[in-house]
Amino acid sequence: MADINDFFSKSDHQADSARSQKDNLYFEILKSISGVFDYINLLDFDKKIAERFDLKNNKIENLNLESDPHTIINKEIISGVADEDKEKFWDFTNLTTLDARLKGNKDITADFEYSGKYWFRAQYIRIGEDINAPISLVVYGIKDITSDKIRELEAQEESRKQFKALKSMASVFYSMHVVDLLNNTVIEYDAKNEVKALSSEVQAADEMMRYVMSEVATAEYREEAIEFTDLCTIPDRMKDRKVLSRELIGKRLGWFTASFITVEKDSEERPTKVLFVTRSIDESKKREERLIKNSNTDELTGLLNRRAYEEAIRRIEADGIREDFTYISIDINGLKEVNDGIGHDAGDELIVGACDCLRQCIGPYGHIYRTGGDEFIALIHVSKEQLDLIIRDLEETTNDWSGDKCEYLAVSVGTVTRREVMTASMHEIAVLADKRMYKAKAEYYSRRGIDRRGQKEAYNVICSLYTKILKVNITKDTYKILNIDDSENAEDYLNYGTLSNWLNDFVANGMVHPDDVDEFNSKMNLEFMRDYFKNSNSSLNVLYKRKYGGSFKNTIMKVVPSANYKDDDQNLFLYVEQIEK
């Protein structure tokens, strides 16, 4: 047994006389990863020898590869591997099949359970440029991953699934360079395609890095890539750090990570030598982008959905509303009549047709969202002249549209520009745009001779019976006020929000008589209501004394399912009626 520090020291001092430049590089790399593993074997298949680095005990042991390969790698380990992992571990550490398993790969990795309460990760790393050539020199390392494994097992099911998915992905380096920051030199360990060709054209490390990143990165990421790989700032940025990484996009490589790994550092914990590696993550990034796109996309039309709309509104509010911002509320006219009279296939044709017209006329200027069955929102940045042109173009385009099942298409539009309401909030802008859209819809029906006054009159009569009417969703814990009596307090005019908060504030503000608070809270509890209506109950009534001015009066709160009620999407109406005048 020899001391591992002596070994490395010897390899450093005798580098010029005892080892080739490539051998020195191997040991530099071995030193750089020594902090990652608890146990390392360096396997030289050409010389039929192995050197075991016992990092915990700081020792080296020379071994002979011509003896039993499994004994060479695992004589202290195999007995403690969990029974269900023994066969897998035996196969993984079989050196006779290692060449075939490493062919085409930079490394292979597997995790194993040990003694029923520990976990470790075993990894073979090929040393050499050609991943398809027969293996010559291989690093075999073991790392204790018990704490990571325990965190994984304690995580939620979704987190575990994500961890397994990530673990199953290949982690092959695209390129690897050892950079000497003190001498401004670089030694190429492994590089492929464009990186290898470009990196050979210059010699100084900082020049090489700047040149390669300017040529490899896309125009959008070029400045960020050059800034990230600025070797002059690396010592300060990596002070007390082992790894520094950034995700970038290459012209031909696609998404990739560029990482600096500390190999050597000075007395002030600043790196003096680093390993620079790149790794392709294009497939996983594109998969992530597809998932995000699918979660934000309306299935029928391909437009962005309400979730994406709400995220966009939050971003606009956080960044500030620009002066050229325009909010457009759009609604399809007559969709209900088409659904009832011709069928939902015809209604879908009308929705898709409207979507195509909106995409053609408004799409080039911003984003369009389908926020409801026949409701669309556009958030764009245009001048007044451009907006006038868009509205005229949309009217002409919808007038010219015809489908297989529907002969015509008409939409009502309400627009609000930031220039009109410089101090208004996004909510106020949205409400005003909706009002203008509904006004346009009323004018449309009036021009077509459709009398909707009877429906409006009936609605007004119903509204007059109640001090408040809300549309609520007790699955999502949301509410929207549809009608409210003028006598209600100003704070009740909030158009929508969280239902549980609204109910809690109502009680907390002393609006319910103390004698009735317990029953009110019991029946208006969301969990109670969810179970209550899932049991096919048709209505829930709560009688209580409600504060009006300086006195309490008998009031009834009624909750009834809406026409589109579902057990997994519980939409209901909430009516408040004052029964004692």
Side-chain angles (χ1 to χ4, degrees):
M1 282 276 185
D3 188 278
I4 192 167
N5 294 318
D6 293 340
F7 175 83
F8 281 131
S9 176
K10 180 180 179 181
S11 66
D12 287 340
H13 295 314
Q14 299 180 356
D16 293 335
S17 60
R19 299 184 184 278
S20 67
Q21 184 183 27
K22 200 167 186 178
D23 287 339
N24 282 326
L25 179 57
Y26 293 158
F27 287 104
E28 292 289 349
I29 294 170
L30 189 60
K31 287 167 64 178
S32 73
I33 64 173
S34 64
V36 176
F37 295 110
D38 301 309
Y39 169 100
I40 293 177
N41 272 8
L42 184 63
L43 312 176
D44 190 329
F45 287 90
D46 291 338
K47 298 178 181 179
K48 303 295 184 183
I49 61 171
E51 290 173 303
R52 170 173 294 165
F53 298 83
D54 185 346
L55 302 178
K56 289 186 174 180
N57 297 311
N58 207 30
K59 299 297 181 182
I60 301 174
E61 179 182 359
N62 293 319
L63 306 166
N64 186 347
L65 281 179
E66 291 183 333
S67 61
D68 179 14
H70 284 93
T71 301
I72 291 293
I73 300 297
N74 305 301
K75 63 180 181 180
E76 296 92 358
I77 299 173
I78 186 65
S79 61
V81 174
D83 291 341
E84 58 269 25
D85 283 352
K86 269 190 168 58
E87 183 176 353
K88 172 186 170 184
F89 186 69
W90 192 259
D91 292 339
F92 183 78
T93 56
N94 188 348
L95 297 185
T96 61
T97 63
L98 184 58
D99 189 89
R101 287 181 287 137
L102 270 175
K103 188 174 181 61
N105 295 302
K106 188 66 186 176
D107 65 59
I108 55 174
T109 304
D111 295 348
F112 304 94
E113 184 178 353
Y114 189 81
S115 298
K117 57 181 179 179
Y118 303 106
W119 286 265
F120 67 89
R121 178 166 295 151
Q123 183 175 16
Y124 290 103
I125 304 174
R126 174 197 294 270
I127 306 298
E129 296 182 356
D130 189 352
I131 61 174
N132 292 309
I135 58 174
S136 174
L137 199 62
V138 173
V139 171
Y140 171 75
I142 286 180
K143 178 184 179 181
D144 184 342
I145 60 168
T146 301
S147 58
D148 292 340
K149 198 69 176 180
I150 290 174
R151 282 195 298 270
E152 173 197 344
L153 294 175
E154 292 175 346
Q156 297 179 355
E157 181 63 24
E158 184 62 25
S159 297
R160 290 199 295 269
K161 290 179 181 178
Q162 292 176 3
F163 178 82
K164 290 178 182 178
L166 291 172
K167 189 176 66 173
S168 66
M169 294 172 60
S171 56
V172 179
F173 289 134
Y174 188 78
S175 67
M176 182 181 292
H177 296 79
V178 177
V179 182
D180 188 326
L181 298 173
L182 294 179
N183 298 311
N184 197 24
T185 58
V186 58
I187 301 175
E188 180 184 58
Y189 165 62
D190 191 16
K192 304 176 181 67
N193 304 332
E194 60 197 281
V195 176
K196 184 173 184 179
L198 293 169
S199 63
S200 63
E201 296 180 18
V202 290
Q203 294 185 1
D206 56 354
E207 293 178 10
M208 186 214 77
M209 199 67 71
R210 190 178 305 111
Y211 178 73
V212 169
M213 287 298 113
S214 65
E215 294 295 322
V216 170
T218 62
E220 181 183 4
Y221 279 82
R222 184 176 298 125
E223 185 176 345
E224 181 180 353
I226 293 174
E227 180 182 1
F228 174 72
T229 55
D230 183 357
L231 299 184
C232 296
T233 63
I234 284 294
D236 288 332
R237 284 190 287 152
M238 292 192 69
K239 187 177 184 297
D240 298 320
R241 297 182 64 171
K242 182 69 177 177
V243 180
L244 184 67
S245 298
R246 184 70 57 86
E247 293 182 356
L248 303 165
I249 299 181
K251 297 174 185 176
R252 294 190 289 272
L253 180 59
W255 278 101
F256 69 95
T257 57
S259 302
F260 289 99
I261 305 171
T262 298
V263 176
E264 293 179 0
K265 52 190 176 181
D266 61 19
S267 59
E268 296 181 350
E269 298 297 316
R270 288 183 174 86
T272 58
K273 186 174 292 186
V274 294
L275 196 64
F276 177 73
V277 297
T278 61
R279 181 170 61 89
S280 173
I281 58 170
D282 195 57
E283 183 178 346
S284 61
K285 288 294 288 186
K286 287 180 177 178
R287 185 185 301 113
E288 177 185 340
E289 289 169 356
R290 286 195 298 270
L291 290 172
I292 294 174
K293 181 179 178 181
N294 290 340
S295 68
N296 289 330
T297 303
D298 176 63
E299 185 175 357
L300 176 63
T301 64
L303 293 177
L304 295 168
N305 59 19
R306 174 168 284 279
R307 173 181 174 180
Y309 163 75
E310 292 173 350
E311 290 177 354
I313 292 297
R314 284 193 290 270
R315 286 196 301 271
I316 293 172
E317 289 176 327
D319 297 339
I321 306 173
R322 286 166 40 182
E323 188 175 337
D324 62 348
F325 173 76
T326 296
Y327 187 107
I328 307 178
S329 177
I330 309 113
D331 199 280
I332 300 174
N333 295 327
L335 179 62
K336 185 177 186 305
E337 289 78 4
V338 170
N339 281 333
D340 293 344
I342 306 177
H344 285 278
D345 287 345
D348 287 349
E349 181 185 63
L350 210 58
I351 293 170
V352 173
C355 162
D356 292 339
C357 293
L358 295 174
R359 228 188 236 111
Q360 177 181 333
C361 302
I362 304 179
Y365 302 94
H367 294 101
I368 309 166
Y369 308 83
R370 185 187 179 201
T371 56
D374 57 355
E375 300 166 0
F376 301 86
I377 301 294
L379 307 177
I380 62 176
H381 294 88
V382 292
S383 65
K384 182 181 183 303
E385 294 73 21
Q386 287 175 315
L387 179 59
D388 292 340
L389 179 62
I390 288 170
I391 299 305
R392 288 197 301 271
D393 189 23
L394 180 59
E395 184 176 358
E396 292 173 1
T397 303
T398 53
N399 285 340
D400 292 340
W401 182 90
S402 64
D404 296 332
K405 297 179 175 63
C406 301
E407 296 181 358
Y408 66 90
L409 166 67
V411 298
S412 293
V413 178
T415 66
V416 177
T417 67
R418 183 57 167 170
R419 299 180 191 90
E420 297 178 80
V421 286
M422 290 299 294
T423 60
S425 66
M426 277 300 302
H427 172 64
E428 290 168 334
I429 291 173
V431 170
L432 181 55
D434 280 345
K435 287 182 178 179
R436 291 178 177 179
M437 182 273 292
Y438 284 119
K439 181 181 178 182
K441 183 178 283 288
E443 292 172 352
Y444 166 82
Y445 284 116
S446 177
R447 289 194 304 271
R448 292 180 61 85
I450 300 174
D451 183 8
R452 307 182 100 197
R453 288 176 298 175
Q455 297 179 15
K456 183 64 176 178
E457 290 171 358
Y459 175 75
N460 288 338
V461 170
I462 293 174
C463 288
S464 68
L465 299 175
Y466 302 99
T467 59
K468 204 186 280 99
I469 301 176
L470 286 75
K471 180 73 176 291
V472 302
N473 187 304
I474 57 177
T475 302
K476 300 176 182 176
D477 191 12
T478 59
Y479 77 88
K480 180 177 182 181
I481 295 179
L482 304 180
N483 187 70
I484 190 168
D485 190 89
D486 291 339
S487 63
E488 289 288 295
N489 294 330
E491 59 267 22
D492 286 338
Y493 279 95
L494 293 174
N495 192 45
Y496 59 85
T498 303
L499 178 60
S500 57
N501 289 344
W502 181 75
L503 291 169
N504 290 337
D505 291 344
F506 186 72
V507 174
N509 290 332
M511 303 306 292
V512 179
H513 193 281
D515 293 343
D516 300 329
V517 166
D518 289 343
E519 182 177 3
F520 183 90
N521 286 337
S522 175
K523 289 188 176 180
M524 297 310 296
N525 177 275
L526 261 60
E527 288 299 327
F528 172 81
M529 286 193 286
R530 287 167 186 153
D531 293 337
Y532 182 85
F533 287 104
K534 283 181 181 179
N535 289 327
S536 301
N537 289 300
S538 59
S539 67
L540 173 64
N541 299 329
V542 182
L543 181 64
Y544 63 101
K545 290 183 287 296
R546 198 258 204 213
K547 188 175 184 180
Y548 292 94
S551 62
F552 288 91
K553 296 182 180 181
N554 287 327
T555 304
I556 189 168
M557 188 174 286
K558 303 177 181 179
V559 185
V560 297
S562 67
N564 62 341
Y565 172 89
K566 298 177 181 176
D567 281 347
D568 59 354
D569 190 22
Q570 295 170 287
N571 285 292
L572 307 102
F573 290 102
L574 188 152
Y575 302 91
V576 178
E577 180 183 0
Q578 181 183 342
I579 58 178
E580 179 186 350
K581 302 301 182 181

